[in-house]
Amino acid sequence: MVTLPLFSQEEEAAAAEERDAGEEKLASIEERLLARDGPPRPRNFWDPLKELIFVLISARTRTEVSLAVLAELELRYAAALGNWTRLRDAPEQAVLTLLAPVTFSEKKAPALQAALRRITRQTGGALSLDFFAGQPVERIRRWLESFEGVGARGSAAVVNHSALRLRALAVDGHHHRIAQRLGFVGRSATAAETEQKLLSLLPEARWPPARLTAMHDLLKLHGQIRCTSNDWQRHCAACPLLPLCPTGTATVDNVETPE
Ligand code: SF4
């Protein structure tokens, strides 16, 4: 049987050219943000279960508030035994009280304990995500996203920001907005599609997990301090990415475009 090619040689060549141009643009973005803002703060790469707990409590909550609540949970329930079984088995009201500073605590507290119980059940008694070792990243993420409160951003954070150190980009509102403004994705793209698009432009050989984490942190800071969600507060005129950005160049006069 003859196998017909899905794409013509011209289409393959055009796609490769688009990928190369996209990677070059992203490398330039990385270089410009590093030059302006410096290297991202060093991270602690927690074990994946702790990262999952952070994901489950931190949606739509300021990072410093979520970190403080996580520290309190750890001190109260995990420090003595070195595991999270006491949090899993704690009275629901006690967990709810500790989670009060985060948004939607009345939903997050039961979802968190239900997740810990389910992990224990599915691992045959171990409250641990050690069984992730050696599993394909797509499989791990599919499983994580089957938990209430874990979407593409959360599953990416667990695999990329934890000690697992796997390839993923945890695309939040900042990354999504910046990718749209810089022309990587259209206005109708979802955050998950934005991650897929960006990863498709960042080949594993040159963009290992650690470099993706650093890129994540650089873009997030850029979104917090410069490329803000409010159009009227954007700092396009002083933005190091302006020459690469169709949105910025459409609103700022006399922009020098790169060679
Ligand atoms: S030029 Fe403006 S829109 Fe473009 S990345 Fe910079 S701040 Fe965002």
Side-chain angles (χ1 to χ4, degrees):
M1 192 172 77
V2 179
T3 308
L4 293 172
L6 289 175
F7 299 102
S8 68
Q9 278 187 337
E10 290 75 20
E11 285 169 326
E12 294 279 11
E17 205 172 300
E18 193 202 332
R19 276 198 304 276
D20 289 349
E23 184 187 1
E24 199 178 313
K25 182 167 171 173
L26 283 161
S28 179
I29 288 168
E30 178 192 49
E31 190 183 342
R32 286 161 183 264
L33 291 178
L34 276 170
R36 178 65 66 88
D37 300 326
R41 275 194 224 147
R43 278 173 170 269
N44 290 319
F45 295 105
W46 301 326
D47 90 279
L49 182 57
K50 182 173 173 181
E51 185 67 42
L52 175 61
I53 292 170
F54 183 69
V55 165
L56 287 167
I57 66 174
S58 61
R60 296 183 181 275
T61 302
R62 281 186 296 123
T63 305
E64 54 274 26
V65 173
S66 305
L67 284 172
V69 169
L70 181 69
E72 193 59 35
L73 285 175
E74 192 166 23
L75 184 69
R76 184 77 63 95
Y77 293 119
L81 297 179
N83 64 51
W84 295 92
T85 51
R86 290 178 61 204
L87 173 60
R88 177 195 64 197
D89 302 334
E92 190 177 319
Q93 187 55 47
V95 178
L96 192 55
T97 303
L98 278 184
L99 259 61
V102 303
T103 56
F104 308 115
S105 54
E106 67 291 347
K107 279 191 171 175
K108 289 176 179 174
L112 169 60
Q113 289 189 291
L116 298 179
R117 286 194 292 270
R118 183 178 146 196
I119 292 167
T120 309
R121 261 196 327 274
Q122 292 198 337
T123 58
L127 180 49
S128 153
L129 297 178
D130 288 351
F131 67 94
F132 281 172
Q135 298 276 349
V137 64
E138 298 77 18
R139 191 150 184 235
I140 294 173
R141 291 189 62 182
R142 244 195 346 269
W143 187 78
L144 287 167
E145 288 170 28
S146 70
F147 285 85
E148 182 187 343
V150 183
R153 185 196 67 79
S155 71
V158 173
V159 299
N160 184 254
H161 299 173
S162 76
L164 288 173
R165 312 301 289 123
L166 296 173
R167 252 176 75 82
L169 251 183
V171 169
D172 68 11
H174 295 298
H175 307 90
H176 189 45
R177 178 175 71 251
I178 293 165
Q180 287 175 326
R181 288 176 175 168
L182 281 158
F184 288 105
V185 290
R187 291 279 156 195
S188 61
T190 64
E193 287 165 348
T194 296
E195 185 197 1
Q196 289 312 312
K197 178 68 184 183
L198 295 177
L199 285 180
S200 75
L201 301 174
L202 300 171
E204 190 163 4
R206 289 183 290 280
W207 295 82
R211 193 174 176 191
L212 294 179
T213 314
M215 187 64 162
H216 168 279
D217 293 351
L218 284 169
L219 288 172
K220 184 162 181 131
L221 179 65
H222 175 61
Q224 288 168 334
I225 63 175
R226 206 176 289 120
C227 193
T228 55
S229 58
N230 292 333
D231 276 343
W232 60 90
Q233 288 181 328
R234 273 192 275 140
H235 299 293
C236 294
C239 177
L241 309 186
L242 178 59
L244 308 169
C245 180
T247 307
T249 48
T251 54
V252 176
D253 296 331
N254 302 321
V255 180
E256 282 180 30
T257 49
E259 297 284 302

